């Protein structure tokens, strides 16, 4: 048996097979293995005691054609034996804890690691670049984790019980493990496992600030966290579409084998930064957009013009179509149309068509959409000060309704309804001297009592509206009505839009569970006894019946529902949120709302929500080239059939995830095309078609697939599919499926793509190297963990929100951004670099910002420098901070300004306005904050990152045998 | 003794009662042989400015089944302080307050001139008057404007304490909350869903929260005198005026080829329900203003497709009017509810087409409400009529009464309805009821000679001042044995009253029976009357003579047969309903005009004179003024109209012509001013299209068939196949004398 080389050999091994090029991490972990070998002799372990290489090692499924030399030693020590060895060394017995082993190996590893880290870092980075240039086809980025498992003394090699983690769930380890392990040991350096912040930083360093031109098929875009500029050169910007992988496997067998989901996350109305070109609008006049006669795909850069330009072949169904006379253009010597660059639909990935009347309801041009504000004026909302706050805010907010590009004022009409257990509609016609209130108490059969004067142009009726908004808080100031209705108000909105023949959005400001006698009456069904049982799913399921029908009605009319909730207790969000989530709306929840405390946060949300760009009455179709098709859709959508995605509205934050499945074999040469066409009504009342095109590579090599995977998109896919599955399956099953699939993907990679290595090594594809941390975080999200400390509504809310999230939002939600502030450079304009989300990174004398797209924490260490406290809070020291810290004062000093600047910079790029929570170390609310340190063990259950890796590794190994 | 003519007149003036027979046949059998039943026309609130209101309550007969009121016909034992009820012969003690009674010190109710007397009930709270306006908003802006103005005007006519409410409707029904500051509130209801009183109460928030009721004790249980929807005029007249001013035309778009959706049925139902749960048994008027037919919901009378016209008589006969039955049922139910609570429903229908009065007639008919039909709210017909609703008498009280009930105390007789108590709800001084009596005395138990039959009419009502009043009219008539005293019975015949009473019976029948059957019945009755009371030789038509008391009767019947009350040809169902409605409630004089219009002639030949309602009266040099009650028509003869066109009236030397033209106009104005509802005023001339109103009314003595055989210089021929009065009379005589009949 060759003696494992000393650490310096790593360098050479990398050079030899060119496999281990990515980062220190791999090297570090690989080194563990060797270190064992080094260590054992040191401990007087004579080599003869090593058994010969087990036959099992070949069963790992080495890729026969792999040109790489296995970096792992030929003789892999059996774990079983290793354990014994270690037991002996450490003089401990009954080492049935995985943790012990981990610690041992890590401890040992650390010793060596620190010495070499800098060297590797530098070395590998530079070498990687070279390698890419020289032999890209040979490139294989692996992350190997060498993990050792105690498989139990008496059990077979791998059949042993895993004592540490709870069965079926990568839970926490027994508390006594550390003691059992004998002498006090250092913890494993967390830096040794793949770091998300590092990946983000690297990508930003490499691709940030650059132009990303979408001219290549199957091109992998920069990470969502990176700051880049897109140049549309024939494929849709990654802001609109992101794929789980940019290389599809050629056959369904391959796809099944690897279990990497093939999907794309589409955010059709994604906000485009100012420095990128907005979408061109193509108008073909009365003929409308040019489409393939057979599959109805829209004209796009993938269409092939033949026959001198007289005909074109559809890229999606291969049908050959005549080019309409007015559209004819000669081809150049390359077979491209001469007007290629004059026509967006021939040269760009994303563009819009003006739709003709054929694309409109009843063949009539649509009316501009309308916004209806429906305010619950029951006791709770009056008392909390919401109604007053809201009415005041609306006066200014209505000035900023979304409007068509280049148009003076918004065409969106507005209407107002207040309600408790009966509804009050308001006539705010401009001709009136004062508004008129119309009460509808017949909630059983809702209708809209007026048409003319209900939906009005704000500019025209401003005086009457202001009059109304002034009066509403006073009118109900003495109310003692505490009962509310809910379904009837949505019904009323739908009816209003129906009567006005337009689409639109309802803004509902609701306080409590609707208990008044009316359709859609709800009762408390929040039973925490159901947590972690088979029946837990019922808590997430909306009640059928009234709300189901409402969803259909809303979508049919293009009525989007945005729900702002101000509950003081359970309100069956699962049911109440059903309509918003099926109509492309959002749900906001402000528990125990107090206008003074939560007002700003709410208003920020509201402003953003009202102002955001949006399209109405949308119907989307995802067309694909032959060989595969869209089979599943996740998101805040409604589907009447299997292909048409209907959304009452799509705004700039709505994203839906589409899964593809093979129909047939894909061709490596032609690749795969996806066209997403969205028909919608603009805020100005124009019917348009938005088309996004994307071309992908196809390969029969799984390694290609793994290479072009996108972790952030993958996790978005998994999050949505898991959150959807919550409705039908127990959480336990879902977690199992998630882990299994994770393990499967990794095992498949290991089996087919990675160079043969020791079973004890966990090998992660480079593109997926931080995938486990996200996956672990996903499984720890409140929705996925039934804990009595988290309210059902809160879990439901998260579930609903995630369903509509895009890649960017799921990324930050599952791996929050933790920014240290204590050492910030006040003079610099860049954000301080984030650190890993782990308690270890916090320090008593530090101050940290943590944000996950929904919440923003400012964590103050107990030993936080007094100067910093002084400059931020204007109190002398940490001890002087008040009990209740609700806001961060804006003070005139560089530190304060910088922190505010950082906060606003963070907020700017998020879809939601985040509420700032200031958390003091060791204070009770700190629990909230700690939940978001996703690398640590979950407070309500759920493994730490490290434990999870171990668990996955075990699964992988089981799969490989 | 004065003539019967005088007696009748005197009775009418004093008591507002006219009997068909003023001497009654003494047995049931004889009574039925009289052909015309023993019946009376009674005007309960006949204006009697001379009548002093008695400030105490009536003394009632103590027998529980009788409860008749002490009256001048009672026998009084002044010493024993007893009185004998003249209906049940019960002897009653006078109440203690009558201790001082004696022959010389009689209470008013015993004085013979107070056969009609009015008591003012002092007990109980003063009840407010309620006026609930139910306003259609589906009409042309011009119409709506006019209506709004009329309504605003009406506020100033209401007593300040009266409660008013406003319900508007179109596609939806809006109940307006009154007296809101800053914002006007209304409760809106779907126009297609009927609500019962309880649902309505809940939806309007009129139910008192249970907690409050228990907490505040008994004083809250009293009926509140106003609520959010019905408030005193003096408090909210400004508010309501503004509200009415801002009233907009129903904003829901009406697509091409459709009628506006008008939820009249539900609006009325809500109005009835609102009053039902807030002011039961309190005087209230629901004043409904409609500009077209109900087109949706319960009570709809026609669909909203313009291409399907509203039902005609033809459709109804062919059973082709699918909404009629259902709608009628709906309105009948409403009418009954309203009547049960003493509430009045008025309908002011102003539209060129029909509005569904046929279906809604019971609402007004059962509650004593007004039915007014006009072409537009922007006509003086409506405006004046509406204004006249609020006419006040000399004391400044409305000439209307609320929540009335009529009770009849009779001796030996009962009313045809099988009851002796009716609810009338709305009464005005001209409201006249026809009451039909049955003589129940058996033939073999004759009434002693000289015996008198008595009838007591007890009308309780709420005076517009809020007081409850009871008006008691007691009359008596002699009995006569029909065999021996047929002459005296015949002499007591009141042919005018009888004609109206028979006409009302005929109209009543016409509502439920086929038109020809009613006419046949009417003819048979007439022939039988002629046979019974005529003087003739069998089978000799020329020998037929009728006594003076009967002489006009056949003529009335002739005109009645031609009247729109029995002829539906050329009239829409709505018009028929309207005409019949008016006919059933107007007093004798007006009713006679309706049956047989009055025709005056103006010419240079002499002073204005009444002329025969005959085509021979239409002469070229005459101006005719016809009053049909519903129309006032001035017809200029051929020559006169030519003069007028030539403008002679403007020449000073032809001033007399101007006077001639003016005379009928002045007379017409006088009628126009006094009549309710205001008649349609028509000014036409020879050959004018509107002349058809005249031509259809006059007796067609000259038609295209006989004009050459008749005299040469007489009148205008009428192009009709209807028989003339002469032919009618000839046939009548022939049939009356025929032994075969």
């Amino acid at each position: 048996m060759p003696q494992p080389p000393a650490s310096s050999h790593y360098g050479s091994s990398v050079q030899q097979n060119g496999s281990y090029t990515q980062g220190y991490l791999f090297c570090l972990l690989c080194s563990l293995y060797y270190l064992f070998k080094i260590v054992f002799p040191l401990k007087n372990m004579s080599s003869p005691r090593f058994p010969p290489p087990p036959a099992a090692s070949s069963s790992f499924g080495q890729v026969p054609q792999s040109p790489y030399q296995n970096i792992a030693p030929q003789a892999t020590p059996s774990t079983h034996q290793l354990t014994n060895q270690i037991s002996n060394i450490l003089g401990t017995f009954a080492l049935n804890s995985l943790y012990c082993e981990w610690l041992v190996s890590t401890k040992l590893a650390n010793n060596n690691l620190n010495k070499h880290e800098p060297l590797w870092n530098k070395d590998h980075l530079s070498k990687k670049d070279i390698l890419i240039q020289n032999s890209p086809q040979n490139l294989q980025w692996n992350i190997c984790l060498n993990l050792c498992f105690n498989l139990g003394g008496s059990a077979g090699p791998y059949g042993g019980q895993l004592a540490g983690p709870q069965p079926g769930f990568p839970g926490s380890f027994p508390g006594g493990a550390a003691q059992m392990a004998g002498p006090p040991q250092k913890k494993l350096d967390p830096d040794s496992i793949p770091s998300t912040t590092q990946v983000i930083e690297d990508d930003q360093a490499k691709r940030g600030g650059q132009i990303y031109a979408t001219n290549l098929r199957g091109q992998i875009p920069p990470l969502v966290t990176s700051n880049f500029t897109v140049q549309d050169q024939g494929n849709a910007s990654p802001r609109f579409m992101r794929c789980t992988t940019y290389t599809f496997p050629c056959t369904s067998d391959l796809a099944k084998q690897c279990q990497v989901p093939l999907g794309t996350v589409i955010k059709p109305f994604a906000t485009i930064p100012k420095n990128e070109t907005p979408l061109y609008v193509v108008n073909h006049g009365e003929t409308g957009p040019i489409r393939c006669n057979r599959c109805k795909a829209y004209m796009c850069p993938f269409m092939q013009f033949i026959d001198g330009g007289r005909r074109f072949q559809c890229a999606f169904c291969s049908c050959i179509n005549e080019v309409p006379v007015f559209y004819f253009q000669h081809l150049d010597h390359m077979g491209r149309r001469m007007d290629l660059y004059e026509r967006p639909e021939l040269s760009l990935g994303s563009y819009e068509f003006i739709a003709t009347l054929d694309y409109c309801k009843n063949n009539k041009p649509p009316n501009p959409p309308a916004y209806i504000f429906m305010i619950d004026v029951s006791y709770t909302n009056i008392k909390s000060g919401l109604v007053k706050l809201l009415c005041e805010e609306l006066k200014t907010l209505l000035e900023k309704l979304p409007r068509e590009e280049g148009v003076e004022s918004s065409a969106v009409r507005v209407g107002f309804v207040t309600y408790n257990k009966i509804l009050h509609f308001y006539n705010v016609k401009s001709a009136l001297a004062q508004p008129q209130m119309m009460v509808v108490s017949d909630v059983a059969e809702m209708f809209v009592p007026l048409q003319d004067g209900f939906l009005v142009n704000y500019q025209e009726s401003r005086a009457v509206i202001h009059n109304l908004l002034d009066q509403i808080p006073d009118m109900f100031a003495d109310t003692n009505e505490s009962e509310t209705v809910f379904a009837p108000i949505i019904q009323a909105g739908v009816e209003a839009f129906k009567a006005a023949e337009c689409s639109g959005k309802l803004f509902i400001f609701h306080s409590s569970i609707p208990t008044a006698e009316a359709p859609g009456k709800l009762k408390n069904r929040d039973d925490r006894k159901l947590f972690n049982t088979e029946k837990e799913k019922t808590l997430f399921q909306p009640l059928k019946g009234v709300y189901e029908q409402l969803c259909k009605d809303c979508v049919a009319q293009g009525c989007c529902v945005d729900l702002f909730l101000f509950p003081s207790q359970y309100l069956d969000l699962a049911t109440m949120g059903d309509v918003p989530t099926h109509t492309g709306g959002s749900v906001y929840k402000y528990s125990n709302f107090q206008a003074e405390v939560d007002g700003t946060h709410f208003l920020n949300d509201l402003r953003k929500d009202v102002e955001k760009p949006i399209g109405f009455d949308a119907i989307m179709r995802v067309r694909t080239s032959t060989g595969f098709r869209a089979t599943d859709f996740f998101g805040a959508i409604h589907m009447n059939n299997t292909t048409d995605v209907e959304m009452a509205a799509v705004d700039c934050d709505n994203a839906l995830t589409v899964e593809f499945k093979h129909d047939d074999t894909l061709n490596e040469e032609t690749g795969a095309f996806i066209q997403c066409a969205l028909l919608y009504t603009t805020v100005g009342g124009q019917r348009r078609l938005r088309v996004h095109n994307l071309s992908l590579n196809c390969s029969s090599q799984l390694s290609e697939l793994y290479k072009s995977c996108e972790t952030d998109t993958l996790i978005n896919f998994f999050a949505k599919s898991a959150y959807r599955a919550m409705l039908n399956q127990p959480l336990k099953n879902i977690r199992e499926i998630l882990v299994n699939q994770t393990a499967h993907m990794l095992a498949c990679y290991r089996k087919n793509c990675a160079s043969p290595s020791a079973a004890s090594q966990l090998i992660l594809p480079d593109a997926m190297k931080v995938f486990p941390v996200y996956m672990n975080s996903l499984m720890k999200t409140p929705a996925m963990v039934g804990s009595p400390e988290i309210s059902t509504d809160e879990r439901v809310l998260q579930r609903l929100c995630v369903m509509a999230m895009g890649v960017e939002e799921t990324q930050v939600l599952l791996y929050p951004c933790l920014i240290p502030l204590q050492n910030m450079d006040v003079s610099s304009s860049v954000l301080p670099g984030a650190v890993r989300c782990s308690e270890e990174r916090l320090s008593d004398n530090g101050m940290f910002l943590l944000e996950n797209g929904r919440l923003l924490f400012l964590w103050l260490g107990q030993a936080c420098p007094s100067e910093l406290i002084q400059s931020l809070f204007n109190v002398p020291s940490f001890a002087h901070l008040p009990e209740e810290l609700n806001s961060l004062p804006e003070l005139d000093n560089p530190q304060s300004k910088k922190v505010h600047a950082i906060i606003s910079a963070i907020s700017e790029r998020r879809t939601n306005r985040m509420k700032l929570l200031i958390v003091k170390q060791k204070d009770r609310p700190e629990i909230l904050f700690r939940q978001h340190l996703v690398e640590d063990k979950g407070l309500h259950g759920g493994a730490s990152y490290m434990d999870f890796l171990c668990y996955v590794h075990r699964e992988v190994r089981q799969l490989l045998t | 003794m004065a003539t019967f003519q005088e007696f009748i007149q005197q009775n009418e003036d004093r008591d507002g009662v006219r009997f068909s027979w003023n001497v009654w046949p003494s047995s049931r059998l004889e009574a039925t042989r009289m052909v015309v039943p023993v019946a009376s026309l009674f005007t309960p609130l006949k204006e009697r400015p001379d009548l002093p209101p008695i400030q105490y309550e009536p003394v009632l007969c103590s027998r529980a089944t009788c409860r008749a009121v002490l009256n001048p016909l009672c026998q009084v034992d002044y010493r024993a302080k007893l009185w004998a009820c003249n209906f049940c012969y019960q002897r009653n003690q006078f109440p203690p307050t009558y201790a001082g009674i004696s022959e010389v010190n009689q209470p008013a109710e015993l004085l013979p001139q107070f056969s009609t007397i009015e008591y003012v009930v002092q007990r109980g709270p003063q009840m407010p008057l309620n006026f609930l306006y139910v306003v259609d908003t589906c009409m042309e802006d011009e119409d709506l404007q006019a209506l709004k103005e009329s309504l605003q005007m009406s506020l100033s006519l209401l007593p300040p304490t009266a409660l008013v409410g406003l319900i508007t409707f179109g596609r939806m029904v809006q109940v307006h909350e009154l007296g809101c500051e800053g914002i006007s509130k209304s409760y809106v209801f779907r126009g297609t869903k009927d609500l019962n009183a309880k649902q309505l109460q809940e939806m309007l928030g009129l139910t008192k929260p249970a907690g409050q009721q228990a907490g505040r004790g008994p004083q809250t249980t009293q009926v509140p005198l106003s609520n959010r929807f019905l408030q005193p005029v003096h408090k909210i007249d400004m508010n309501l005026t503004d509200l009415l001013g801002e009233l907009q035309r129903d904003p829901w778009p009406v697509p091409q080829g459709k009628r506006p959706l008008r939820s009249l049925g539900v609006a009325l139902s809500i109005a009835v329900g609102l009053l039902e749960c807030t002011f039961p048994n309190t005087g209230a008027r629901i004043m409904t203003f409609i500009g077209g037919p109900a087109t949706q919901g319960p009570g709809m009378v026609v669909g909203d497709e313009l291409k399907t016209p509203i039902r005609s008589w033809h459709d109804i006969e062919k059973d082709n009017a699918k909404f009629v039955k259902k709608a009628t049922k709906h309105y009948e139910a409403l009418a009954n509810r309203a009547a049960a609570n003493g509430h009045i429903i008025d309908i002011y229908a102003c539209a060129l087409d029909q509005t569904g009065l046929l279906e809604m007639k019971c609402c007004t008919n059962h509650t004593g409400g007004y039915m007014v039909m006009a072409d537009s709210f922007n006509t003086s017909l409506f405006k004046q009529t509406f204004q006249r609703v609020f006419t006040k008498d000399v004391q400044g009280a409305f000439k209307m009464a609320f929540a009335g009930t009529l009770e009849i105390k009779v001796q030996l007789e009962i009313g045809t309805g099988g009851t002796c108590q009716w609810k009338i709800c709305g009464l005005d001084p001209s409201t006249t009821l026809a009451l039909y009596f049955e003589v129940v005395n058996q033939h073999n138990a004759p009434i002693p000679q000289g015996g008198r039959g008595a009838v007591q009419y007890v009308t309780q009502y709420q005076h517009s001042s809020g007081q409850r009043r009871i008006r008691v009219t007691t009359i008596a008539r002699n009995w006569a044995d029909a065999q021996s005293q047929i002459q005296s019975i015949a002499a007591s015949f009141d042919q005018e009253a009888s004609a109206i009473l028979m006409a009302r019976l005929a109209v009543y029948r016409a509502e439920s029976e086929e038109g020809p059957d009613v006419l046949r019945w009417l003819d048979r009755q007439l022939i039988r009357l002629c046979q019974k009371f005529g003087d003739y030789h069998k089978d000799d038509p020329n020998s037929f003579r009728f006594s003076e008391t009967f002489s006009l009767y056949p003529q009335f019947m002739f005109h009645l047969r031609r009247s729109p009350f029995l002829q539906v040809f050329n009239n829409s169902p709505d018009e028929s309903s309207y005409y019949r409605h008016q006919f059933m409630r107007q007093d004798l004089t007006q009713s006679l005009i309706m049956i047989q219009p009055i025709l005056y002639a103006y010419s240079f030949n002499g002073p204005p004179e009444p002329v025969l309602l005959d085509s021979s009266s239409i002469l070229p040099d005459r101006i005719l003024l016809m009053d049909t009650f519903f129309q006032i028509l001035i017809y200029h003869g051929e020559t006169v109209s030519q003069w007028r066109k030539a403008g002679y009236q403007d020449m000073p030397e032809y001033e007399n012509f101007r006077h001639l033209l003016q005379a009928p106009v002045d007379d017409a104005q006088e009628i126009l001013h006094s009549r309710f509802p205001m008649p349609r005023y028509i000014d036409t001339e020879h050959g004018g299209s509107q002349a058809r109103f005249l031509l259809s009314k006059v007796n067609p003595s000259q038609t295209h068939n006989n004009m050459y055989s008749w005299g040469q210089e007489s009148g205008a021929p009428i192009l009709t196949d209807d028989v003339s009065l002469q032919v009618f009379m000839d046939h009548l005589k022939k049939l009356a004398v025929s032994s075969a009949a």
Side-chain angles (χ1 to χ4, degrees), chain B residues 644-658:
Chain B
R644 189 164 70 146
K645 273 188 197 135
Y648 284 101
Q649 69 273 26
D650 302 329
M651 304 179 191
E653 60 270 39
Y654 290 100
E655 202 185 344
N656 59 340
F657 179 59
R658 188 165 61 83

Side-chain angles (χ1 to χ4, degrees), chain A residues 437-439 441 446 451 471, chain B residues 174 184 186 188 190 203 253:
Chain A
M437 176 203 247
M438 300 183 138
V439 184
S441 18
M446 205 53 227
Q451 180 176 16
Q471 287 196 52
Chain B
Q174 269 174 277
S184 56
S186 60
V188 188
R190 194 186 270 273
M203 290 187 181

Side-chain angles (χ1 to χ4, degrees), chain A residues 5 500 784:
Chain A
M784 296 288 284

Side-chain angles (χ1 to χ4, degrees), chain A residues 372-376 415-419 423-426 454 489 492:
Chain A
I372 304 179
F373 295 87
M374 305 182 125
I375 309 167
D376 172 0
F416 303 89
V417 174
T418 57
Y419 66 96
L423 278 71
H424 322 109
F425 294 78
Y426 295 92
F454 179 56
I489 60 170

Side-chain angles (χ1 to χ4, degrees), chain A residues 422 426 429 431-452 467-468 471 475 499, chain B residues 171-172 174 177 180-193 195 202-204 212 243 246-248 251-253:
Chain A
I422 52 175
Y426 295 92
K429 208 157 109 168
L432 293 174
Q434 59 181 36
Q436 293 176 347
M437 176 203 247
M438 300 183 138
V439 184
V440 173
S441 18
D442 186 4
V443 287
E445 276 180 74
M446 205 53 227
F447 62 93
V448 178
L450 76 169
Q451 180 176 16
D452 187 27
N467 183 342
L468 172 69
Q471 287 196 52
M475 259 192 294
Chain B
R171 188 186 180 123
M172 312 277 171
Q174 269 174 277
E177 192 174 323
C180 307
E181 294 286 323
I183 191 163
S184 56
K185 289 185 197 172
S186 60
Y187 283 68
V188 188
F189 296 87
R190 194 186 270 273
T192 51
K193 188 179 171 192
L195 301 163
E202 271 170 23
M203 290 187 181
L204 288 177
Q212 272 186 6
L243 197 61
E246 284 211 332
L247 212 55
Q248 296 294 314
W252 296 89

Side-chain angles (χ1 to χ4, degrees), chain A residues 659-950:
Chain A
E659 184 177 13
F660 300 105
K661 288 261 162 68
H662 282 82
D663 262 347
D664 205 346
T665 325
L666 297 177
N667 189 328
E668 276 191 55
E669 273 178 26
T670 48
F673 300 117
I674 302 169
Q675 182 177 70
C676 156
L678 180 89
L679 178 64
Y680 74 102
T681 305
T682 64
V683 285
Q686 206 177 46
R687 201 78 175 140
R688 285 199 200 157
L689 264 161
R690 184 171 271 225
V691 183
H692 296 302
N693 301 295
L694 192 63
S695 58
L696 303 173
N697 283 334
C698 297
S699 167
S700 49
Q701 301 292 323
L702 279 179
S703 56
E704 288 297 316
L705 178 146
Y706 279 105
K707 209 158 65 183
S708 42
C709 272
E710 239 269 312
T711 296
D712 297 333
T713 315
L714 269 175
I715 201 69
N716 177 285
F717 181 94
F718 279 109
K720 285 190 182 179
S721 58
Y723 276 27
R724 188 171 70 176
M726 280 168 72
L727 293 179
N728 307 314
Q729 293 186 48
L731 292 178
K732 190 168 148 254
N733 293 8
I734 297 168
R735 285 189 297 248
E736 260 167 34
I737 292 168
L738 287 178
V739 178
N740 286 346
Q741 197 164 357
T742 310
H744 208 104
M745 282 158 61
L746 297 180
C748 178
Y749 175 77
R750 172 73 173 262
K751 193 163 151 189
N752 298 309
C753 311
S755 41
S757 59
S760 57
Q761 283 184 316
L762 175 63
I763 302 181
L764 299 170
D766 183 59
M768 287 170 72
K769 67 179 170 230
V770 288
F771 182 73
V773 71
Y774 283 114
M775 184 52 90
N776 184 35
S777 175
L778 169 64
M779 291 196 295
K780 290 196 288 187
T781 52
M784 296 288 284
V785 178
S787 157
E789 278 155 58
I790 305 167
S791 76
T792 310
D793 280 346
E794 200 54 54
R795 298 174 65 190
V796 170
L797 178 68
Q798 192 179 30
R799 193 188 86 74
L800 297 180
C801 291
V802 168
M803 288 310 287
M805 273 185 184
V807 179
E808 210 169 325
E809 291 92 61
T810 45
Q811 187 273 326
V812 76
L813 180 78
L814 296 176
Y815 200 91
C817 187
L818 183 65
I819 302 171
L821 295 180
Q822 64 271 27
N823 298 323
M824 62 189 172
D825 178 4
V826 289
S827 55
S828 147
S829 63
V830 292
L831 287 181
V835 296
R836 301 181 69 157
C837 275
S838 167
E839 199 185 337
E840 311 224 346
R841 310 289 159 169
L842 303 176
S843 57
D844 283 3
N845 58 359
M847 187 183 281
F848 291 84
L849 261 185
L850 182 140
E851 63 108 359
N852 71 346
R854 304 187 60 76
L855 292 166
L856 180 64
F857 292 93
L858 180 62
W859 184 88
L860 308 173
Q862 273 176 324
C864 196
S866 296
E867 310 82 66
L868 197 55
I869 296 282
Q870 174 68 45
S871 50
L872 290 185
F873 295 95
N874 206 15
V875 292
S877 73
F878 185 85
H880 289 81
L881 286 171
E883 271 302 298
E884 292 278 317
L885 260 178
N886 293 318
S887 63
L888 191 62
E890 286 193 45
L891 301 172
D892 190 20
N893 61 60
Q895 279 84 5
S896 179
K897 278 181 182 162
K898 176 70 183 171
V899 172
H900 280 285
I902 292 171
I903 290 174
S904 60
I906 291 171
S907 304
E908 208 47 52
R909 58 179 197 215
R910 298 295 169 220
T911 57
N912 286 316
R913 290 298 180 220
M914 294 173 286
K915 183 185 178 183
L916 177 67
L917 296 168
I918 300 172
V919 174
K920 287 183 277 183
Q921 194 183 8
K922 300 269 162 62
D923 217 3
R924 214 177 56 84
E926 202 191 2
I927 296 178
L928 262 181
F929 168 79
R930 283 181 184 262
Q931 275 173 21
H932 296 96
L933 299 175
V934 294
E935 290 200 8
D936 298 342
K937 205 174 95 182
L939 284 174
H940 304 295
S944 69
Y945 180 20
M946 198 97 71
D947 297 344
F948 182 70
L949 274 182
C950 298

